Amino acid sequence: MRSIVESRHRRRSFWRQLTLIGPAFVAGAWQFGPGNLTTAMNAGALYGYTLIWVIIVSTILMVFLTDMSVRLGIRTPVSLIASIKETLGGWVGVVAGVGVFLITLCFSVGNAVGSGVGLSMLIPGTSPVMWTIICSAAVATILLLKGIYRVVEKALIVIVALMAVCFIVSAFAANPDWAAAGAGLVPVVPDGAWLLIIGLVGTNFSINAAFYASYGTKARRRTEADYRDITIVDTIPGIIAPGIMTALVIVVAAAVLHATGTDAPGAFGGLARIFEPIAGPVGAWIFALGFFGAAFSSMIPNCVAGGTMISDALGRGGSADTKTARLGSAFILAFGLAITLIFSGSSPVELIVIAQALTVLFAPILATLILIMANNRALMGSLRNRWWQNVMGVIGLVSVVALSIRLAISLLT
């Protein structure tokens, strides 16, 4: 009787449940970056609505891996990497932390380039490099604030909401064939589409973002009693939201580019102009705003996560507020800016795609560690993986292993 009374007492109202929103939305914002937009746009331009199913599958897998990470954030005494070190050995935890840090270095390039290009599209005639410098300075200012995770979390929830509005408006302005879009939910692999499918999976099934969700959960001091509500208001909507936005990008590109036989644009300026025939200059502005939001919203958690991971790997603490974490975040930010300045004359699309592709080399390691730790009976207790969660986790692991093998073959041939 006491447990029933206590459980009713703990039951939250709708508005109190909304206060649990955070870690998964941060992971989703990190996942939905320039590389994600670029691959989705090319998918719609080249194959119409056919590859929408890839986004659906990737999003479902991302939900399951993020859910495992959230449960790990609840159950780990200190942090995920600290528990990995204790359970599997110190060197394994170091490899995990360094792996995520290297991934964030790669992502930093695309985010730096994308934020600058997005603002230069919003304000024609301005320099993308100038805006990249300004955006980097803005992120650096955020990183100096105390209680950095809370600041990042609130900012990203607002940005994700604005992006959602932009891409929903864009999708309806394009007047797509919704029946054909629905048919795209049926798995079909067009000739020559495998490489693009792998790219879509790689950008939408972001293992590093899922891995970091445990740290966001720990930073918010979530408990086992919070788990059900977290799943409903944060984990599921936080990961599904960027998946829906990515699918809408494919829908728009399919309606505007594929239907007219237009080639996929090779630069971001071309991507913005695809809306002009259907919505005039406002259409291009909507796309540019959404693109900037995607880049900037990914830029912030990328720096925070990378700094936190390297700090934890080196035994300096698993918090974004440690000195090592702040120095790591600053290095990531400086790295993205430096590469952008050095290769300012190169194609931004190619630069982003190359940087994104390199991130998948570490994804199988992180996915394996999440699965192993989520099945640790002593650590997880009642939150240990069920059989059906393991099935989805293994499917996700096999997917990222195949992606890594394909990339390795491409690099060697």
Side-chain angles (χ1 to χ4, degrees):
M1 180 64 70
R2 177 185 294 178
S3 63
I4 294 174
V5 172
E6 288 178 349
S7 65
R8 288 182 177 177
H9 178 70
R10 289 195 301 268
R11 189 173 298 166
R12 292 178 172 82
S13 67
F14 172 75
W15 295 110
R16 289 186 64 196
Q17 284 182 330
L18 291 183
T19 63
L20 296 174
I21 292 176
F25 276 89
V26 172
W30 187 9
Q31 164 195 349
F32 190 77
N36 187 300
L37 271 171
T38 303
T39 53
M41 192 68 69
N42 284 327
L46 295 173
Y47 301 105
Y49 306 99
T50 309
L51 298 181
I52 293 177
W53 66 270
V54 179
I55 307 302
I56 304 303
V57 172
S58 300
T59 301
I60 292 172
L61 294 176
M62 183 67 178
V63 168
F64 276 89
L65 262 291
T66 304
D67 172 67
M68 292 180 202
S69 186
V70 167
R71 285 185 277 120
L72 283 164
I74 292 172
R75 295 292 301 182
T76 50
V78 180
S79 69
L80 179 51
I81 286 181
S83 292
I84 289 173
K85 287 181 177 180
E86 183 178 344
T87 305
L88 304 175
W91 68 272
V92 180
V94 172
V95 168
V98 172
V100 175
F101 182 75
L102 293 176
I103 289 174
T104 58
L105 287 180
C106 295
F107 272 136
S108 70
V109 178
N111 296 332
V113 173
S115 60
V117 171
L119 283 175
S120 69
M121 289 190 292
L122 279 172
I123 308 175
T126 57
S127 168
V129 174
M130 177 194 73
W131 286 118
T132 294
I133 295 172
I134 292 174
C135 289
S136 298
V139 173
T141 302
I142 292 174
L143 295 179
L144 290 174
L145 298 175
K146 291 184 177 181
I148 183 173
Y149 183 81
R150 293 293 184 92
V151 176
V152 169
E153 191 177 82
K154 291 176 181 178
L156 292 185
I157 291 172
V158 173
I159 293 175
V160 169
L162 291 174
M163 282 195 296
V165 172
C166 288
F167 286 108
I168 289 172
V169 171
S170 298
F172 282 95
N175 192 26
D177 184 342
W178 291 108
L185 299 177
V186 179
V188 174
V189 180
D191 292 338
W194 272 113
L195 189 58
L196 185 55
I197 289 174
I198 292 174
L200 287 170
V201 173
T203 54
N204 288 276
F205 186 32
S206 181
I207 308 297
N208 50 303
F211 193 91
Y212 182 66
S214 68
Y215 285 80
T217 304
K218 180 63 67 180
R220 294 289 296 271
R221 300 180 180 180
R222 297 310 182 204
T223 66
E224 191 167 340
D226 299 324
Y227 172 64
R228 180 179 177 275
D229 290 338
I230 290 172
T231 304
I232 295 172
V233 302
D234 185 45
T235 305
I236 293 177
I239 300 304
I240 287 180
I244 292 174
M245 288 188 286
T246 305
L248 291 177
V249 172
I250 294 180
V251 166
V252 172
V256 178
L257 296 177
H258 184 72
T260 60
T262 306
D263 293 334
F268 292 121
L271 297 182
R273 286 194 295 271
I274 69 170
F275 294 99
E276 290 182 356
I278 54 176
V282 175
W285 187 85
I286 290 173
F287 177 84
L289 181 61
F291 187 83
F292 164 71
F296 193 75
S297 66
S298 182
M299 197 174 189
I300 300 173
N302 186 64
C303 291
V304 175
T308 304
M309 293 298 102
I310 197 65
S311 175
D312 205 10
L314 297 176
R316 303 295 183 178
S319 168
D321 292 323
T322 67
K323 183 177 179 180
T324 304
R326 290 180 181 275
L327 289 174
S329 298
F331 182 83
I332 293 166
L333 193 62
F335 181 84
L337 179 59
I339 297 298
T340 301
L341 293 174
I342 292 171
F343 295 96
S344 59
S346 304
S347 167
V349 172
E350 293 179 3
L351 192 59
I352 286 177
V353 170
I354 292 172
Q356 289 273 141
L358 294 174
T359 65
V360 304
L361 294 175
F362 296 95
I365 297 174
L366 300 179
T368 300
L369 291 175
I370 290 175
L371 265 174
I372 291 174
M373 297 302 292
N375 279 283
N376 188 311
R377 189 184 301 273
L379 173 66
M380 298 301 291
S382 62
L383 292 183
R384 190 168 73 99
N385 269 8
R386 304 293 189 267
W387 69 267
W388 48 274
Q389 292 169 322
N390 280 326
V391 168
M392 298 303 294
V394 170
I395 292 174
L397 176 59
V398 170
S399 299
V400 295
V401 168
L403 176 64
S404 298
I405 293 174
R406 182 58 184 258
L407 176 61
I409 294 173
S410 300
L411 293 174
L412 294 173
T413 57

